[in-house]
Amino acid sequence: MRICLIHPNYHSGGAEIAGNWPPAWVAYIAGALKAAGYTDIHFLDAMTDHLSPAQLRVKLAEMQPDVVGTTAITPSIYVAEETLAVAKEVLPKVRTILGGIHATFMYKQVLSEATGIDVIVRGEGEEIIVELIRAMDEGRWPAERASIKGLAYRDGEEIVATPAASTVKDLDAITPDWSLLKWDSYIYVPLGVKVAIPNMARGCPFTCSFCSQWKFWRDYRVRDPIKVVDEIETLVNEHGVGFFILADEEPTINRRKFIQFCEELIKRDLPRRVQWGINTRVTDIYRDRELLKFYRSAGLVHISLGTEAAAQLKLDQFNKETKVEENKEAIRLLREADIFTEAQFIVGLDNETPETLEETYKMAWDWQPDLANWAMYTPWPFTPLFQELGDKVEIFDFSKYNFVTPIMKPEAMDRDELLDRVMNNYRRFYSKKALFHYPWRGTGYRRKYLLGCLKAFMKAGFARQFYDLGKVDYWGPQSKGKLNFNFDRTRTIAQAQTDDWQSKQDIAAQKRAAKMSRNGEFLMPNGAVAGRDPASVKACGGGTEQMREDRVTEPAE
């Protein structure tokens, strides 16, 4: 059976400015299929190669696959739907499969609007896809599709979802096939080296109001750190990777295993050949203040912090608990450890004002992170906060749910002014950094890295790709009142989808998190048990809970 995996051709002016990112889902899905005996697997990276629908038609006609699969995050869903529609046009008998987080939760919406999809894989795909492909290969599809867990499909006029499959319990049994990717295409611009995105853990133990990771992955599971380093060593030795970013939401949650991971990297002398970055929480930086230099010696050079400054922005929906002075102190600690810091600010909720935006700029300059990022709030349609916002969400064109387009309209200003003031923050912060900091602060690796980051920003800025500025026709303050965000306002939410949002899974996950807290698995720094309220929802990076370790492990001498 010939299988073709396609990464959809979607672009926005966000993370892409730092480089082309390898689609890790392809490696993990292909690895699971090959382990099951399916070796005739091909990959088309339509995103990196900018493949048009016409070019896809030609390639699919030449390849003649039996199965075509793709994935979609929320902003890429329409392109993914079009990709599978193209496959059906070229090969009417082909089986088409869609996976990913958006389709998992919005399967009723997707199957209502797209006709080229035979089946949706809901949740983690490695085990479900093997069972699904076997059924197709053995002629048991579609007769036995109802017996396969973790699927959604149309049966005549009815949309059917089979019971959810269990999560992958043994993550270490998955061996990704990274050989399918064309590694010369994936370059991290600041350093000019090949980049990878492996993961050490799946899921998150917190139930954040604006996040969906805890819903998608459900269980929080951590891989064997040695197995993770095995994978990274393979990426370095066989594919020439020089930089990686751990895909985990917060890889430092499990302190003991994170330390083991760093120790193993050092043991194999990998920091000399590959550097890396993570996202994590301010509270974890505080907890590990004595270990930061050790982390740096393991090759950790870049940490993105979810500072958000939510107390000042009055983002009560986020339930933010991190204090302003803690954000500033965490950045100082990282600077002393020679780890590059990136401060993340969430802007653009309905209560945003010119004053709150100015406040985030002043904070960013006062704290002095190496980098600052102002991300537009994106109301993921499958998160608790989306339902809480209710009628305040008026745009349902998911192609714009990309962190750079102002989906929400603040009460105190229009979207044009919101975008312009965010751009004003960027202009002032990076102009000062470029003139007075990056060329003169530090030497060697630090200077090279910062100038590389500046190069990435300038490259995207001159091409008007940064923040999708070219697409909305933004040229500066003079553009206010003239911008076109190109929202497709004909897009709406299917009634069947709204009925399904308050799912049993939400309730069960929150109750499970509360139960874990009562059992003492997650404690607050003062020793009190956190999260006793089953419906409590915490913000990413904002809670003060820490994972309790049975034994605190310090780095080996």
Side-chain angles (χ1 to χ4, degrees):
M1 175 171 279
R2 176 163 294 179
I3 301 167
C4 177
L5 303 176
I6 303 176
H7 195 61
N9 184 17
Y10 176 83
H11 298 271
S12 70
E16 289 180 64
I17 68 171
N20 293 322
W21 306 100
W25 71 272
V26 172
Y28 287 97
I29 293 296
L33 287 169
K34 287 193 173 182
Y38 295 96
T39 58
D40 193 1
I41 302 175
H42 303 260
F43 171 52
L44 296 176
D45 191 344
M47 180 181 182
T48 300
D49 294 338
H50 295 269
L51 298 180
S52 67
Q55 290 171 313
L56 273 181
R57 288 186 179 92
V58 172
K59 291 183 178 294
L60 289 171
E62 293 174 347
M63 189 184 301
Q64 291 290 309
D66 301 294
V67 176
V68 171
T70 189
T71 188
I73 55 175
T74 294
S76 67
I77 184 60
Y78 305 142
V79 179
E81 292 173 359
E82 181 185 27
T83 297
L84 297 183
V86 167
K88 280 288 190 183
E89 290 173 14
V90 177
L91 306 164
K93 294 183 179 180
V94 76
R95 298 296 187 189
T96 52
I97 303 171
L98 175 64
I101 190 167
H102 187 89
T104 290
F105 296 114
M106 301 289 285
Y107 66 90
K108 291 185 177 180
Q109 179 85 30
V110 172
L111 292 173
S112 296
E113 65 191 12
T115 59
I117 301 170
D118 287 319
V119 61
I120 286 174
V121 170
R122 298 165 50 233
E124 287 178 278
E126 288 91 352
E127 294 179 349
I128 302 172
I129 195 70
V130 169
E131 190 172 353
L132 176 59
I133 292 297
R134 278 180 179 156
M136 291 179 175
D137 189 31
E138 295 169 3
R140 295 184 286 109
W141 177 272
E144 298 184 18
R145 58 186 175 176
S147 65
I148 303 174
K149 292 182 178 180
L151 303 182
Y153 52 85
R154 293 194 68 93
D155 186 1
E157 296 300 315
E158 182 183 4
I159 296 175
V160 178
T162 64
S166 66
T167 54
V168 177
K169 301 305 180 186
D170 187 5
L171 292 179
D172 292 321
I174 300 174
T175 303
D177 179 12
W178 292 105
S179 67
L180 281 176
L181 279 62
K182 298 185 297 184
W183 284 99
D184 288 341
S185 301
Y186 308 113
I187 303 297
Y188 185 57
V189 173
L191 292 176
V193 297
K194 297 176 185 177
V195 62
I197 314 179
N199 77 297
M200 186 163 70
R202 288 187 178 179
C204 181
F206 307 112
T207 54
C208 308
S209 63
F210 60 88
C211 183
S212 57
Q213 292 298 316
W214 59 275
K215 293 177 66 178
F216 183 80
W217 301 109
R218 296 184 286 170
D219 301 333
Y220 177 67
R221 292 146 289 148
V222 186
R223 296 171 62 190
D224 179 350
I226 293 177
K227 295 286 188 181
V228 182
V229 177
D230 286 343
E231 184 177 332
I232 290 167
E233 191 167 36
T234 297
L235 288 166
V236 173
N237 291 339
E238 297 183 10
H239 305 295
V241 168
F243 192 84
F244 68 86
I245 297 175
L246 285 178
D248 307 31
E249 289 300 298
E250 295 168 10
T252 54
I253 288 176
N254 191 311
R255 183 174 185 260
R256 178 173 59 85
K257 288 202 172 185
F258 189 74
I259 289 173
Q260 289 175 351
F261 173 71
C262 292
E263 289 175 337
E264 190 65 23
L265 288 169
I266 293 171
K267 179 181 177 181
R268 304 191 198 187
D269 196 29
L270 282 169
R272 182 176 55 84
R273 304 167 60 195
V274 63
Q275 286 75 49
W276 48 291
I278 62 171
N279 298 289
T280 195
R281 312 184 317 153
V282 167
T283 50
D284 284 9
I285 300 301
Y286 263 76
R287 180 198 67 193
D288 296 350
R289 60 174 65 207
E290 302 300 324
L291 295 172
L292 295 179
K293 290 185 178 180
F294 162 67
Y295 294 161
R296 178 63 179 85
S297 68
L300 176 56
V301 299
H302 188 139
I303 291 182
S304 178
L305 289 173
T307 49
E308 277 101 50
Q312 291 66 39
L313 292 176
K314 299 180 181 179
L315 302 181
D316 296 332
Q317 300 99 319
F318 288 1
N319 200 13
K320 191 76 174 180
E321 298 175 11
T322 304
K323 297 178 181 178
V324 174
E325 57 268 24
E326 291 175 344
N327 293 329
K328 183 175 182 178
E329 178 65 7
I331 290 171
R332 185 190 68 80
L333 290 169
L334 289 172
R335 188 186 306 115
E336 288 183 354
D338 197 29
I339 297 174
F340 303 104
T341 58
E342 181 176 359
Q344 299 281 352
F345 297 94
I346 295 176
V347 298
L349 265 84
D350 60 298
N351 57 3
E352 194 74 78
T353 66
E355 291 75 24
T356 57
L357 284 171
E358 180 66 18
E359 189 173 20
T360 61
Y361 167 74
K362 290 179 178 178
M363 286 178 179
W365 194 252
D366 178 52
W367 298 347
Q368 279 299 302
D370 297 296
L371 305 164
N373 182 42
W374 285 266
M376 292 290 183
Y377 169 68
T378 300
W380 303 122
F382 29 81
T383 59
L385 185 54
F386 181 91
Q387 284 109 66
E388 291 175 22
L389 290 170
D391 293 341
K392 293 178 181 178
V393 182
E394 56 178 340
I395 301 298
F396 303 105
D397 179 355
F398 295 135
S399 67
K400 307 299 182 183
Y401 280 46
N402 50 21
F403 295 113
V404 301
T405 303
I407 300 299
M408 305 290 292
K409 180 190 175 302
E411 294 179 4
M413 52 184 161
D414 59 26
R415 291 184 175 88
D416 286 29
E417 183 180 3
L418 170 61
L419 178 61
D420 181 62
R421 288 186 177 274
V422 168
M423 288 302 104
N424 189 39
N425 283 0
Y426 274 110
R427 282 192 294 266
R428 290 181 291 172
F429 183 86
Y430 284 101
S431 292
K432 287 184 179 180
K433 285 287 186 180
L435 289 173
F436 305 113
H437 286 241
Y438 292 164
W440 322 111
R441 299 289 177 92
T443 58
Y445 187 85
R446 167 165 282 275
R447 186 170 180 271
K448 174 185 176 182
Y449 192 92
L450 291 174
L451 289 176
C453 291
L454 180 62
K455 173 186 175 183
F457 272 107
M458 292 179 64
K459 180 180 178 182
F462 284 124
R464 304 187 66 227
Q465 295 171 338
F466 177 66
Y467 237 83
D468 267 358
L469 299 182
K471 293 180 182 179
V472 301
D473 204 26
Y474 177 86
W475 291 93
Q478 68 273 20
S479 299
K480 286 192 296 183
K482 304 175 184 178
L483 302 184
N484 183 0
F485 295 103
N486 301 298
F487 294 129
D488 183 351
R489 293 181 180 269
T490 66
R491 299 278 185 178
T492 59
I493 300 294
Q495 184 59 47
Q497 189 65 60
T498 62
D499 294 342
D500 195 46
W501 270 336
Q502 188 55 34
S503 67
K504 293 179 181 179
Q505 183 180 337
D506 295 352
I507 299 170
Q510 291 175 358
K511 286 183 177 179
R512 183 166 60 248
K515 181 179 178 181
M516 294 171 73
S517 294
R518 288 194 294 271
N519 291 339
E521 294 181 58
F522 299 98
L523 302 179
M524 297 180 70
N526 62 6
V529 177
R532 288 191 178 276
D533 177 7
S536 65
V537 179
K538 295 297 181 183
C540 203
T544 53
E545 307 91 334
Q546 298 291 351
M547 175 172 285
R548 191 178 77 178
E549 301 290 352
D550 295 330
R551 177 175 61 86
V552 176
T553 302
E554 299 298 340
E557 295 296 335

